[in-house]
Amino acid sequence: FWRGKPIFVRHRTEKEIKEAQDVQLSDLRDPEADSVRVKEGHAPWLIVYGNCTHLGCIPLGNQGAYGGWFCPCHGSVFDTSGRIRQGPAPTNLPIPPYAFVSDTKIKIG
């Protein structure tokens, strides 16, 4: 948690990264390249707020048609980059302010 909100920290596989990078931005409701959702040099690590952008529910990880997150409350589906792919959520899972302090430590805020 950071500032009272859940944070998802996900270590993505090479396959998940490639799939996220290969998505056509025109296919996305809230177009955002995978490269702008991660820090340069740290593509395996995705850090996002853990609340669905529809009504604030907490989606389940490694679920849904895109292997990212699935919100069982209302059916929103996010991919492995935290981008909305299906369902009522209007926007991607937001990215909190963070920085890599070292290769193994992240500072949020």
Side-chain angles (χ1 to χ4, degrees):
F1 283 89
W2 181 67
R3 292 192 172 178
K5 295 189 180 215
I7 301 291
F8 292 157
V9 177
R10 181 172 182 153
H11 188 260
R12 306 182 303 168
T13 65
E14 288 296 323
K15 180 180 181 236
E16 290 173 331
I17 294 166
K18 177 149 179 36
E19 287 173 353
Q21 292 172 342
D22 289 348
V23 171
Q24 295 293 318
L25 294 183
S26 60
D27 292 343
L28 300 173
R29 181 178 310 160
D30 185 10
E32 209 171 17
D34 181 67
S35 60
V36 301
R37 297 185 56 77
V38 295
K39 298 291 184 188
E40 187 174 336
H42 297 281
W45 295 101
L46 180 73
I47 291 83
V48 294
Y49 282 106
N51 293 102
C52 180
T53 56
H54 176 233
L55 291 176
C57 305
I58 298 181
L60 304 173
N62 300 307
Q63 303 284 318
Y66 301 92
W69 290 270
F70 171 68
C71 186
C73 302
H74 303 102
S76 292
V77 178
F78 300 89
D79 66 12
T80 58
S81 191
R83 299 173 297 199
I84 182 63
R85 300 301 297 272
Q86 296 173 336
T91 58
N92 302 330
L93 295 175
I95 299 170
Y98 74 95
F100 279 85
V101 177
S102 71
D103 285 339
T104 58
K105 189 181 252 185
I106 302 166
K107 179 184 177 189
I108 299 176

